[in-house]
Amino acid sequence: MNQLEMKKAAAQAALQFVKPDTIVGVGSGSTVNCFIEALGSLRHQIKGAVAASKASEQLLVRQGIEVFSANDVSGLDIYVDGADEINPQKMMIKGGGAALTREKIVASLAKNFICIVDESKLVDVLGSTFPLPVEVIPMARSQVARKLVALGGSPEWRENVVTDNGNIILDVHNFKIMNPVEMEKNLNNIAGIVTNGIFALNSAATVVVGTAEGTKIIR
């Protein structure tokens, strides 16, 4: 299977975690787009979905799935999202699509985080293959960048990208994240950072991996 076929296989396999008469939390990104397409087959069995990005919301509507605001629900049974990297402890780097803050918000509502990826996203150490996205309030861009440099990172402003919240993204290269929980907390304490793309405090409960040999589920 090529990469797209692996993503589709993981997305299809994730449908087994969707329970009837529930509202499903949905993230964003190319693998999630495959999941939304597959979720359309269950649109008459579920109540609807909460989307972590405007782009995902539009795709859900096209599938005939009712979209709820995060403010409309007190909790979700599952949240399904992809990752840019995921380690053996099911901790992730996310934010390649600049939706990391809303993804954290929707993920925090769910009992179970189901991460769907193709096998290229599996790493031993976070930061090995993908820079760490950090969402920053625009007026703090330079001062946050200086603090990230002091921590050993090489931040790069993702120009011409504005998040759904009206903020900017700094992609931090050269971070080998040996203690994801500590790093996630420390970065979020820097004034001007809305949140960072480490998902360690709320890691995945289950990982569905599309591989060349088929789909693998890691619980």
Side-chain angles (χ1 to χ4, degrees), residues 165-205:
N165 311 310
N167 299 313
I168 60 125
I169 296 289
L170 294 178
D171 291 310
V172 189
H173 300 262
N174 302 325
F175 267 166
K176 288 291 191 295
I177 304 168
M178 306 306 296
N179 189 331
V181 170
E182 182 180 354
M183 179 70 86
E184 182 177 359
K185 290 178 179 178
N186 289 344
L187 292 177
N188 283 345
N189 283 331
I190 296 174
I193 290 180
V194 179
T195 198
N196 67 86
I198 301 172
F199 282 61
L201 295 167
N202 187 11
S203 58

Side-chain angles (χ1 to χ4, degrees), residues 34-88:
C34 297
F35 175 73
I36 293 172
E37 184 176 347
L39 189 64
S41 66
L42 302 180
R43 62 181 172 274
H44 299 303
Q45 299 177 35
I46 60 174
K47 292 180 180 177
V50 174
S53 72
K54 293 178 181 177
S56 291
E57 184 175 323
Q58 291 169 357
L59 290 175
L60 286 162
V61 170
R62 285 182 204 161
Q63 288 294 329
I65 298 170
E66 184 174 357
V67 177
F68 294 86
S69 162
N71 290 318
D72 294 334
V73 301
S74 58
L76 298 167
D77 185 59
I78 61 168
Y79 174 69
V80 180
D81 204 353
D84 298 303
E85 288 185 340
I86 185 163
N87 70 12

Side-chain angles (χ1 to χ4, degrees), residues 55-183:
S56 291
E57 184 175 323
Q58 291 169 357
L59 290 175
L60 286 162
V61 170
R62 285 182 204 161
Q63 288 294 329
I65 298 170
E66 184 174 357
V67 177
F68 294 86
S69 162
N71 290 318
D72 294 334
V73 301
S74 58
L76 298 167
D77 185 59
I78 61 168
Y79 174 69
V80 180
D81 204 353
D84 298 303
E85 288 185 340
I86 185 163
N87 70 12
Q89 293 74 43
K90 305 184 188 71
M91 300 173 181
M92 298 153 280
I93 282 182
K94 295 176 46 53
L100 58 162
T101 299
R102 294 191 181 202
E103 288 169 348
K104 281 194 176 181
I105 290 168
V106 182
S108 70
L109 286 166
K111 295 176 187 174
N112 289 301
F113 189 144
I114 313 296
C115 181
I116 54 175
V117 293
D118 66 84
E119 61 186 355
S120 71
K121 305 301 192 297
L122 303 177
V123 298
D124 290 324
V125 178
L126 296 181
S128 299
T129 64
F130 200 85
L132 174 65
V134 179
E135 182 164 349
V136 178
I137 292 171
M139 69 175 289
R141 174 173 57 86
S142 294
Q143 70 186 75
V144 168
R146 287 192 291 270
K147 291 182 178 180
L148 292 170
V149 169
L151 290 172
S154 302
E156 180 181 356
W157 177 21
R158 200 185 298 179
E159 295 191 63
N160 302 316
V161 171
V162 177
T163 72
D164 285 348
N165 311 310
N167 299 313
I168 60 125
I169 296 289
L170 294 178
D171 291 310
V172 189
H173 300 262
N174 302 325
F175 267 166
K176 288 291 191 295
I177 304 168
M178 306 306 296
N179 189 331
V181 170
E182 182 180 354
M183 179 70 86

